[in-house]
Amino acid sequence: MHLLSSARVKAGESVLVHGASGGVGLAACQISRAYGLKVLGTAGTEEGQKIVLQNGAHEVFNHREVNYIDKIKKYVGEKGIDVIIEMLANVNLSKDLSLLSHRGRVIVVGNRGTIEINPRDTMAKESSIIGVTLFSSTKEEFQQYAAALQAGMEIGWLKPVIGSQYPLEKVAEAHKDIIHGSGATGKMILLL
């Protein structure tokens, strides 16, 4: 909810969820679809692509293919994408800017390093780069998001997808798999 409110989305707009097969990405696809958005996703495995389509995406692209950005551009045409939810900004942000529509927004959710971008890429389209973190939400905002997510689960448009499960004593292995793994499918959980 926080991601989409930060992006000021409107029904009918397009959203690209990078890394859509992970827990946050799948939730973003489901919520975006419930909001009436045209949902595109990326995933790096065939299994990931299938699960993204099953969770609200209208179309999915393999971000491991060299020309996947060209395929996205061809799919969306000249208009571009209104909102991009970015899980790995240090890899994708520069490419994201080339995909945006006029006044498009990149919502940075994840990042693992630095990247060089050309600010002119934001100027021509009057686009925005917005960083978000749930931890900066006020108590009232957090309660609103929690209530909306709970309602989504109760009526069925939000269905959490469980991925890898680790016993608590293997937390170091879980962390290593998140950082160095080849891609996520669903939300990783620790078992007590």
Side-chain angles (χ1 to χ4, degrees), residues 26-43:
L26 290 171
C29 288
Q30 293 174 14
I31 295 166
S32 296
R33 186 68 179 253
Y35 266 68
L37 303 177
K38 176 76 171 183
V39 183
L40 312 176
T42 70

Side-chain angles (χ1 to χ4, degrees), residues 10-11 28 30 65 71 85 93 98 105 107 126 133 147 154:
K10 298 178 195 107
Q30 293 174 14
E65 290 180 3
K71 289 182 177 181
I85 298 177
L93 186 58
S98 74
R105 290 89 68 202
I107 307 302
E126 297 184 353
T133 175
E154 287 173 1

Side-chain angles (χ1 to χ4, degrees), residues 32-130:
S32 296
R33 186 68 179 253
Y35 266 68
L37 303 177
K38 176 76 171 183
V39 183
L40 312 176
T42 70
T45 66
E46 191 173 317
E47 177 189 9
Q49 291 173 53
K50 285 180 186 174
I51 200 164
V52 170
L53 287 171
Q54 292 167 354
N55 283 276
H58 293 89
E59 189 65 46
V60 66
F61 301 89
N62 184 339
H63 58 233
R64 293 207 174 125
E65 290 180 3
V66 176
N67 63 341
Y68 84 98
I69 294 292
D70 294 330
K71 289 182 177 181
I72 295 172
K73 285 181 179 178
K74 183 176 180 182
Y75 184 83
V76 299
E78 289 184 30
K79 182 185 183 305
I81 298 168
D82 299 305
V83 175
I84 298 176
I85 298 177
E86 183 53 68
M87 308 296 174
L88 196 57
N90 58 298
V91 172
N92 298 315
L93 186 58
S94 184
K95 295 178 237 171
D96 291 344
L97 297 177
S98 74
L99 292 170
L100 287 176
S101 65
H102 183 71
R103 297 213 171 117
R105 290 89 68 202
V106 177
I107 307 302
V108 177
V109 178
N111 183 61
R112 294 186 186 163
T114 60
I115 187 170
E116 185 174 314
I117 64 166
N118 184 343
R120 287 188 187 277
D121 293 337
T122 64
M123 295 164 58
K125 296 178 182 177
E126 297 184 353
S127 58
S128 303
I129 302 168
I130 304 165

Side-chain angles (χ1 to χ4, degrees), residues 103-175:
R103 297 213 171 117
R105 290 89 68 202
V106 177
I107 307 302
V108 177
V109 178
N111 183 61
R112 294 186 186 163
T114 60
I115 187 170
E116 185 174 314
I117 64 166
N118 184 343
R120 287 188 187 277
D121 293 337
T122 64
M123 295 164 58
K125 296 178 182 177
E126 297 184 353
S127 58
S128 303
I129 302 168
I130 304 165
V132 298
T133 175
L134 190 57
F135 304 112
S136 66
S137 300
T138 66
K139 182 178 180 182
E140 292 77 23
E141 288 171 329
F142 192 82
Q143 290 171 338
Q144 289 173 357
Y145 303 144
L149 294 174
Q150 180 67 37
M153 288 186 282
E154 287 173 1
I155 62 174
W157 58 258
L158 181 63
K159 297 175 185 165
V161 178
I162 304 300
S164 304
Q165 300 179 39
Y166 294 83
L168 190 56
E169 60 271 9
K170 293 194 175 185
V171 69
E173 181 182 334
H175 186 259

